[in-house]
Amino acid sequence: MAGVLAAAGLGMAPAARAQAPHIVMASTTSTEQSGLFTHLLPAFKAASGIEVRVVALGTGQALDMARRGDADVVFVHDQAAEEKFVADGFGLRRLPVMYNDFVVVGPRSDPLGLGGGDVLGALKKLAASPAAFVSRGDKSGTHAAELRYWKAAGIDLAATRPAGYKECGCGMGPALNMAASLNGHVLTDRGTWLSFKNRGELAVLVQGDARLFNQYGVMGVNPARHAHVKRALAQQFADWVVSPAGQAQIAGYKIGGEQLFFPNAGK
């Protein structure tokens, strides 16, 4: 009998493991490729017992995934799109979590003289030249920001695209790889840039412009739209990431001694 029970117990072990609580999070390539989640999510699991399974996409795609009910929680960085997601009834309350900034990287020699803190001036110079500029072209938060900057610089991409403008339809890492291979320019979040190894001759050229501020937010998917979503577990993650413990984990993530994200929950 003991042997039968032992065998039964062994047979039940995989099923028990399969029932461990988990949620699906739709998030951005920048949070994934910067290495933040490798640092952050084990701490959340240790505190809660909940596993977070990340699907890293552009922000627009992540929100679309959540609209279909294929995610329990969303962690992205396009505030206008996030607020619309909530207003349309797909998301619960949006909580600000952290920020970093965007930078424009390009050839270290800076042949166009872009260097400084004026992103609109830099884009005007790029538009007037044949120099390569890689756009993610993927409806991500970074792509949305890039389009805002071109528009603010008075450049109508729908009418006339700069000679060197190239859309990759890809995540931040591949876009940086493409820019490095072309020795061109690209808008990137600083976190992914700091974790990026294949820099070639690229360096940060434009930074410090207040327009380059990059805010991240988190929100659970509304069960009124999709009854199967794990609202309680998703809310545990949202509450933890804005708690002192979660915020301390974000502040503690550094590469080469440089902090990648700055917690600002409740601000």
Side-chain angles (χ1 to χ4, degrees):
M1 178 63 74
V4 172
L5 290 173
L10 288 172
M12 290 172 64
R17 285 195 297 270
Q19 295 304 312
H22 73 272
I23 55 173
V24 174
M25 179 164 67
S27 192
T28 71
T29 60
S30 59
T31 44
E32 177 75 4
Q33 293 171 1
S34 67
L36 174 67
F37 286 152
T38 302
H39 170 81
L40 187 67
L41 298 184
F44 173 65
K45 185 174 182 180
S48 67
I50 301 167
E51 176 189 355
V52 180
R53 300 175 184 176
V54 178
V55 180
L57 303 161
T59 286
Q61 294 170 309
L63 291 171
D64 284 343
M65 178 180 169
R67 285 188 185 94
R68 296 191 300 270
D70 294 331
D72 302 298
V73 67
V74 188
F75 192 167
V76 290
H77 65 137
D78 183 349
Q79 186 166 343
E82 294 163 45
E83 290 173 348
K84 186 177 189 305
F85 179 79
V86 173
D88 289 346
F90 289 101
L92 301 173
R93 186 165 68 101
R94 175 189 177 275
L95 300 172
V97 178
M98 63 188 189
Y99 69 92
N100 64 2
D101 63 340
F102 294 113
V103 296
V104 177
V105 302
R108 189 180 304 276
S109 60
D110 193 15
L112 300 181
L114 305 186
D118 180 6
V119 66
L120 304 188
L123 291 180
K124 289 175 183 177
K125 290 179 181 179
L126 277 164
S129 83
F133 179 91
V134 178
S135 169
R136 284 182 55 175
D138 64 349
K139 298 182 180 179
S140 62
T142 304
H143 182 218
E146 177 216 319
L147 295 179
R148 289 196 300 272
Y149 301 149
W150 285 113
K151 183 176 181 180
I155 297 159
D156 184 356
L157 293 180
T160 306
R161 292 193 173 187
Y165 190 88
K166 303 177 188 301
E167 283 189 333
C168 71
C170 62
M172 197 67 256
L176 281 164
N177 278 321
M178 186 173 174
S181 69
L182 295 170
N183 202 29
H185 305 79
V186 65
L187 179 77
T188 176
D189 67 285
R190 191 183 295 271
T192 307
W193 170 251
L194 288 173
S195 64
F196 183 65
K197 305 301 181 187
N198 181 34
R199 296 183 178 183
E201 297 300 314
L202 301 185
V204 173
L205 302 182
V206 182
Q207 61 184 325
D209 190 323
R211 295 181 182 87
L212 295 171
F213 179 80
N214 181 29
Q215 177 70 48
Y216 289 79
V218 67
M219 60 205 135
V221 176
N222 190 350
R225 289 279 185 168
H226 299 287
H228 64 274
V229 300
K230 300 172 183 176
R231 175 177 181 171
L233 299 183
Q235 195 60 50
Q236 277 189 254
F237 174 75
D239 290 343
W240 180 84
V241 83
V242 301
S243 73
Q247 296 278 281
Q249 287 291 330
I250 291 168
Y253 181 54
K254 299 178 181 180
I255 292 180
E258 188 163 355
Q259 187 171 334
L260 274 71
F261 299 93
F262 298 84
N264 66 343
K267 297 180 181 177

